[in-house]
Amino acid sequence: MKNVKIENLDWVSYRELTEKGRCKIILPVGAIEQHGPHMSLNPDVLIPSHIAVKVAERSDDILVAPAISYGYKSQVKSGGGNFFPGTTCVSASSLENYVFDVLQAYVNHGNREFILINGHFENSMCLCEAADKLVNKCRAEGVSVKVYLLSYWDFISEETIEKVFPEGFTGWAVEHGGVLETSIMLKIHPELVDMSKAVDVEPATFPPYDVFPPDPSWVAASGTLSSPLPATAEKGEIILDECISGIASRFG
């Protein structure tokens, strides 16, 4: 199996593979965030990283950069909130500047095309800002670069949703620590999931506003926004197959 991870290459091989910008660079961006008592803190890093590698392995011109593990602050209505022990996040400006600096370094190496695979909902606008800042700076310097930004779950079809959620789908907003992430982790890292600790909760409901400081009572004590109990590795495989195929067909 070919090596697609930049961190595992020596610098000479990396230079040869990326000479004259002939490779696309995938940068996974996640978060360290609680995902319930049944799962590790790093699904938002491991899932996009796995997808990135599988996409790159199907291509002759894609390499995968080391993932950025710390993401923007967990929000109550999408990630349970920043007050759970273990959830370790950074400010929007820190994430934006860090992603920009990493991309700028790759541009300095001669790379010109980038794919950001997001694994943490809250990161989205920070990544938009970093990409926009990079493109504008490079344009002013006479350098043409292109940045694609995607979240892996955007490639999941209605047909797959019906297979994974036969009892009905309550929406991505409450899938934090639920069937989606748990199923994928059962497939790619079962050693980091203990279903005996999974807590059955009703899908979270929230008022049509946010409040600061955040109110912990809005979230189940488990930290999950829906029940992970129906999760299976088989569902994870279905989800992954579609995400990897969809992304690879677009960028491979």
Side-chain angles (χ1 to χ4, degrees):
M1 186 177 296
K2 63 179 179 178
N3 180 21
V4 297
K5 293 184 177 182
I6 289 174
E7 71 250 46
N8 292 337
L9 297 170
D10 63 85
W11 74 267
V12 177
S13 298
Y14 169 76
R15 181 183 62 184
E16 292 172 352
L17 288 169
T18 59
E19 192 173 19
K20 297 181 180 179
R22 67 184 184 88
C23 271
K24 303 181 189 74
I25 305 297
I26 298 182
L27 176 61
V29 187
I32 301 300
E33 180 184 43
Q34 68 79 24
H35 283 76
H38 66 290
M39 198 154 53
S40 61
L41 294 165
N42 57 351
D44 291 356
V45 180
L46 295 177
I47 294 173
S49 296
H50 175 87
I51 291 171
V53 168
K54 294 302 181 183
V55 169
E57 287 175 348
R58 297 188 183 193
S59 172
D60 293 326
D61 65 350
I62 294 179
L63 292 174
V64 180
I68 293 177
S69 296
Y70 293 102
Y72 179 57
K73 297 170 188 172
S74 176
Q75 300 299 303
V76 172
K77 293 165 69 173
S78 52
N82 209 35
F83 40 76
F84 281 90
T87 296
T88 311
C89 301
V90 299
S91 68
S93 58
S94 293
L95 180 60
E96 175 193 335
N97 289 328
Y98 192 83
V99 172
F100 170 82
D101 285 349
V102 169
L103 293 176
Q104 179 66 71
Y106 283 117
V107 170
N108 294 343
H109 301 163
N111 298 294
R112 296 293 182 263
E113 198 164 355
F114 305 93
I115 305 163
L116 305 184
I117 299 185
N118 181 32
H120 177 64
F121 176 80
E122 290 90 333
N123 287 342
S124 297
M125 290 301 104
C126 305
L127 301 184
C128 284
E129 284 296 310
D132 190 53
K133 182 178 175 182
L134 180 79
V135 168
N136 289 334
K137 179 177 184 290
C138 289
R139 182 186 295 122
E141 296 170 350
V143 177
S144 177
V145 301
K146 184 170 287 187
V147 183
Y148 299 94
L149 171 58
L150 62 96
S151 296
Y152 69 86
W153 52 85
D154 291 333
F155 285 78
I156 302 174
S157 67
E158 290 297 324
E159 181 182 1
T160 292
I161 288 174
E162 290 175 4
K163 292 178 182 177
V164 174
F165 301 94
E167 303 303 317
F169 182 52
T170 52
W172 296 126
V174 294
E175 264 307 299
H176 177 73
V179 171
L180 174 77
E181 292 174 307
T182 303
S183 292
I184 296 174
M185 287 292 286
L186 282 169
K187 176 61 180 177
I188 65 174
H189 285 289
E191 75 280 5
L192 299 179
V193 184
D194 184 349
M195 291 302 288
S196 71
K197 297 180 180 178
V199 178
D200 190 18
V201 298
E202 290 297 315
T205 58
F206 299 109
Y209 56 84
D210 293 299
V211 63
F212 297 90
D215 186 348
S217 69
W218 285 12
V219 185
S222 66
T224 59
L225 301 186
S226 59
S227 176
L229 264 60
T232 66
E234 290 74 23
K235 290 179 179 179
E237 184 173 13
I238 292 170
I239 296 165
L240 284 171
D241 284 348
E242 182 163 57
C243 292
I244 293 164
S245 296
I247 297 170
S249 65
R250 175 60 183 83
F251 300 105

